[in-house]
Amino acid sequence: MTNPVLADVLRGDQVESRHRGSVVVCDASGKTIMAVGDTNKPVFPRSAVKSIQALPFVESGAADAYGFGNRELALACASHNGEPEHASLAQSMLERAGLSEADMECGVHWPTLQKSALDLASSGRQPNQLHNNCSGKHSGFLCTCAHEGIDPTGYVGADHRLQEMVRDAMENVTGAKHDPAHRGTDGCSIPTYAIPLKNMALGFARMATGEGLAPQRAAAAKRLFEACMAEPFLVAGTDRADTKLMQAAPGKIMVKIGAEGVFCAAIPSIGVGIALKCDDGAARAAEAIVARVLEIVLRDDKDLGPKLKALANPVFRNWNGIEVGGIRTPEAYA
Amino acid sequence: MTNPVLADVLRGDQVESRHRGSVVVCDASGKTIMAVGDTNKPVFPRSAVKSIQALPFVESGAADAYGFGNRELALACASHNGEPEHASLAQSMLERAGLSEADMECGVHWPTLQKSALDLASSGRQPNQLHNNCSGKHSGFLCTCAHEGIDPTGYVGADHRLQEMVRDAMENVTGAKHDPAHRGTDGCSIPTYAIPLKNMALGFARMATGEGLAPQRAAAAKRLFEACMAEPFLVAGTDRADTKLMQAAPGKIMVKIGAEGVFCAAIPSIGVGIALKCDDGAARAAEAIVARVLEIVLRDDKDLGPKLKALANPVFRNWNGIEVGGIRTPEAYA
């Protein structure tokens, strides 16, 4: 099936580009509240499910053993900008477990935030693996290995004990079988498995409510979601959609972007999970669409509405600061 | 109508994202050789038509008066990376006409090529308008004003004499009326008019052959296209699709990307023009699709085929250098 257009990109008052995709909203029992487009097709969740992948880090007792609080838990769920605060916190997590940047296997890239990259360069420095947007997740992985006495070497491999723990948590929480035939390699080298979008939304609803999860897992899920909502800057950073969305509704909504146009979200107070995939992989569209879906689901919230509407319809300005267009999402889907 | 999928994005062997769009190939008489999707819908050509917008720069005699050759003409048609060679050539063009960076109205951004941005920062410098990817076009505009005795102030405005000259050239070459109701503002502040994709391809076929153009215009068009094909680095830069495509077939193909997934191309030897728009605005898809369309149109060229096929099916590697996927374009369209 052809997915519907979920966001238009305008230049002046003309539609210049458009983004198609699928969205599903469901509760922790799996009951569908809203579904647009094909929500059964396997989709790579990429980084949108880092909070689920962080369950072994909490459940193993590693996070407590090293004295970690909301900040470290949020960073373990992050795709961050590589700002100084992100990189230094990842370093301190590793140090607490007697590890270092040299133990990481995520690879090096310049900070995602251009200002941070330019600041590094202007001070004559080079980036390292702590600046990788996944460095918090990898620090959590490494701390889990250290605490469990697992040799961390090759911890990014699909057959490594750590990735087996992560996969077990993912299968349990999302209810979707993780099939090696649907496996790909993520940007930071860990495996990623394509699963139906519906299962990603279900997983987020379960994480938010604890329903359908064992008590210890439900408690770990609650801690991770609350940590992200308490420390939204650490989950992404300056000018990022995740951070702005969670700052707009403190403690009310949990969101996480994934590469290639994926977004997951949850609203713990009403027990719903949301997952969406922009067909073409565009982050700009996924960011606007998730804001619109949250606005639709939370339409009774008169305070939050205007903030979400603004994020659902961002304005583009050119290099001279002139408004040249923007993204327009519809008032309703389906 | 819903445009067809023109490129799949793979992760492992799974389709992760897909890009829809439209393509048209025609000759200078307007005869359609290949058409895929909706080729009549107005599309903003953005920077893909800079070579047509540079006609007044040559036709007015400005380029000759200031002693410019292929290098300056290519830069006037460029969306460049802001590498030192690009910025310094734009500066020398302005100086030749007694002008400076202060006369530019394109706005400032850091060089598009990350290495050039980091090099600037690490030497303690800031970017200026010469680093704007459109600085060559703006230098051409300003030199035209200087040569013609036109006050350059406000030269980016739709009602300025310079933009009237540009619009007249665009209407004549593409055969499409430039309707103020279909006007938007480009990233560098000049007007851009949505016109049917078919007219963009027709314009490129006419530029390549001179057919349907007045003799002086045909000569200027030939000079501009030959300049771009002779100096492909100056049209874009390091690692850029335009540069690689033109380097793959010296003097044989002329290509130019535009923002939001547009690409125009021409093959002067067989007199065809090509235009395509990726619906969602993705440059990665437009770059692969144009290579595939060129490969299809030039299928008899056994030397060029493998080079174009490689550019039509780029491989993605992650931060550890591991191959994680790529873009796959089909052997045939329509």
Side-chain angles (χ1 to χ4, degrees):
Chain A
M1 74 183 279
T2 300
N3 287 327
V5 172
L6 301 181
D8 282 330
V9 179
L10 303 183
R11 181 152 300 263
D13 54 7
Q14 311 285 305
V15 173
E16 180 166 29
S17 301
R18 40 197 7 181
H19 297 281
R20 294 175 180 274
S22 47
V23 182
V24 60
V25 183
C26 69
D27 68 17
S29 74
K31 194 184 116 194
T32 299
I33 293 156
M34 173 176 145
V36 183
D38 183 352
T39 61
N40 294 313
K41 195 171 75 87
V43 164
F44 286 111
R46 310 291 301 272
S47 292
V49 294
K50 278 176 174 166
S51 56
I52 307 176
Q53 294 170 326
L55 285 168
F57 172 50
V58 177
E59 291 171 353
S60 66
D64 286 331
Y66 299 119
F68 296 153
N70 281 344
R71 289 172 54 78
E72 292 84 359
L73 265 56
L75 197 73
C77 302
S79 297
H80 62 69
N81 277 342
E83 297 177 68
E85 201 171 348
H86 300 121
S88 64
L89 185 58
Q91 184 170 22
S92 82
M93 287 171 70
L94 292 170
E95 284 170 358
R96 212 84 74 83
L99 299 161
S100 78
E101 188 265 351
D103 296 298
M104 304 181 91
E105 300 181 2
C106 52
V108 178
H109 63 75
W110 285 88
T112 312
L113 185 73
Q114 189 182 47
K115 182 185 181 303
S116 295
L118 296 169
D119 286 349
L120 262 192
S122 65
S123 64
R125 295 165 62 205
Q126 290 286 323
N128 59 40
Q129 295 189 92
L130 297 167
H131 299 97
N132 185 307
N133 74 92
C134 300
S135 72
K137 176 180 73 179
H138 283 253
S139 297
F141 286 165
L142 283 164
C143 288
T144 307
C145 290
H147 179 69
E148 293 285 287
I150 302 169
D151 177 1
T153 310
Y155 71 91
V156 296
D159 298 332
H160 190 278
R161 176 71 195 122
L162 187 275
Q163 293 303 332
E164 287 175 357
M165 293 163 72
V166 168
R167 188 171 60 245
D168 287 349
M170 277 292 299
E171 288 193 327
N172 172 251
V173 173
T174 65
K177 172 118 189 72
H178 280 40
D179 184 348
H182 288 173
R183 187 165 68 206
T185 303
D186 216 319
C188 67
S189 295
I190 74 161
T192 178
Y193 296 83
I195 60 173
L197 200 62
K198 176 74 190 281
N199 292 83
M200 291 160 55
L202 176 64
F204 260 57
R206 286 176 169 172
M207 290 285 285
T209 61
E211 279 181 49
L213 304 180
Q216 192 203 357
R217 177 149 288 172
K222 190 171 193 296
R223 279 182 66 186
L224 285 161
F225 269 30
E226 287 181 350
C228 292
M229 293 188 287
E231 297 288 349
F233 178 83
L234 293 172
V235 177
T238 303
D239 283 334
R240 290 278 302 279
D242 302 68
T243 300
K244 286 190 270 190
L245 283 162
M246 291 194 282
Q247 285 174 339
K252 260 195 161 167
I253 58 176
M254 158 70 189
V255 297
K256 183 66 189 66
I257 199 168
E260 291 293 330
V262 174
F263 236 113
C264 286
I267 308 168
S269 60
I270 56 171
V272 305
I274 297 166
L276 67 90
K277 161 81 180 174
C278 182
D279 289 353
D280 55 70
R284 68 178 182 184
E287 291 169 357
I289 297 163
V290 76
R292 176 57 82 180
V293 173
L294 286 163
E295 190 269 330
I296 291 168
V297 175
L298 292 167
R299 198 148 273 177
D300 293 337
D301 189 326
K302 301 299 174 205
D303 289 339
L304 194 50
K307 293 180 196 170
L308 292 173
K309 270 186 196 168
L311 293 167
N313 296 288
V315 166
F316 295 164
R317 293 185 185 280
N318 76 3
W319 304 112
N320 284 322
I322 299 167
E323 182 173 331
V324 292
I327 297 182
R328 185 177 58 191
T329 53
E331 290 283 316
Y333 288 123
Chain B
M1 74 183 278
T2 300
N3 287 326
V5 172
L6 301 181
D8 282 330
V9 179
L10 303 183
R11 180 152 301 261
D13 54 8
Q14 312 285 305
V15 173
E16 181 166 29
S17 301
R18 40 196 8 178
H19 297 281
R20 295 175 181 275
S22 48
V23 182
V24 61
V25 183
C26 69
D27 69 16
S29 74
K31 194 183 116 196
T32 299
I33 293 157
M34 172 175 145
V36 183
D38 183 353
T39 60
N40 293 313
K41 194 171 76 86
V43 164
F44 286 112
R46 306 292 300 273
S47 292
V49 293
K50 278 175 174 166
S51 56
I52 307 177
Q53 294 171 326
L55 284 169
F57 171 50
V58 176
E59 291 172 353
S60 67
D64 285 331
Y66 299 119
F68 296 153
N70 281 344
R71 290 172 55 79
E72 291 84 359
L73 265 55
L75 197 73
C77 303
S79 297
H80 62 70
N81 277 343
E83 297 177 69
E85 201 171 346
H86 301 121
S88 64
L89 185 58
Q91 183 169 24
S92 82
M93 287 171 70
L94 291 170
E95 285 170 356
R96 212 84 74 85
L99 298 161
S100 78
E101 189 263 351
D103 296 297
M104 304 181 90
E105 300 181 3
C106 53
V108 178
H109 64 75
W110 285 87
T112 312
L113 186 72
Q114 188 182 47
K115 184 186 179 303
S116 296
L118 296 168
D119 286 349
L120 262 194
S122 65
S123 64
R125 296 166 62 205
Q126 291 286 324
N128 59 40
Q129 295 188 92
L130 297 167
H131 299 97
N132 185 307
N133 75 91
C134 300
S135 72
K137 176 181 71 178
H138 283 253
S139 297
F141 286 165
L142 282 164
C143 289
T144 306
C145 289
H147 178 70
E148 293 285 286
I150 302 169
D151 177 0
T153 309
Y155 71 90
V156 296
D159 298 331
H160 190 278
R161 176 71 195 123
L162 188 275
Q163 293 304 331
E164 287 175 357
M165 292 163 72
V166 168
R167 187 171 61 244
D168 286 349
M170 277 292 298
E171 288 193 326
N172 172 251
V173 173
T174 65
K177 172 123 188 69
H178 280 41
D179 184 347
H182 288 175
R183 187 164 68 206
T185 303
D186 216 320
C188 68
S189 295
I190 74 160
T192 178
Y193 296 82
I195 60 173
L197 201 61
K198 176 75 190 280
N199 291 85
M200 290 159 54
L202 176 65
F204 261 57
R206 286 176 170 172
M207 290 285 286
T209 61
E211 280 181 50
L213 304 180
Q216 189 202 0
R217 177 149 286 172
K222 190 170 193 290
R223 279 180 67 185
L224 285 160
F225 269 30
E226 288 182 350
C228 291
M229 293 189 287
E231 297 288 349
F233 178 83
L234 294 173
V235 177
T238 303
D239 284 334
R240 289 280 302 279
D242 302 69
T243 299
K244 287 190 269 189
L245 283 161
M246 290 194 281
Q247 284 174 341
K252 261 196 160 166
I253 56 177
M254 159 71 189
V255 296
K256 184 66 188 66
I257 198 168
E260 291 292 329
V262 173
F263 236 113
C264 286
I267 308 168
S269 60
I270 56 172
V272 305
I274 298 167
L276 67 91
K277 161 82 181 174
C278 183
D279 289 354
D280 55 71
R284 67 178 183 185
E287 291 169 357
I289 297 163
V290 76
R292 176 57 82 180
V293 174
L294 286 163
E295 190 269 329
I296 291 168
V297 175
L298 291 167
R299 198 148 271 176
D300 293 338
D301 189 326
K302 301 299 175 207
D303 289 338
L304 194 50
K307 294 180 195 170
L308 292 174
K309 271 187 195 165
L311 293 167
N313 296 287
V315 166
F316 296 163
R317 293 185 185 280
N318 74 2
W319 304 112
N320 285 321
I322 299 166
E323 181 174 332
V324 292
I327 296 182
R328 186 177 56 192
T329 53
E331 290 284 315
Y333 288 124

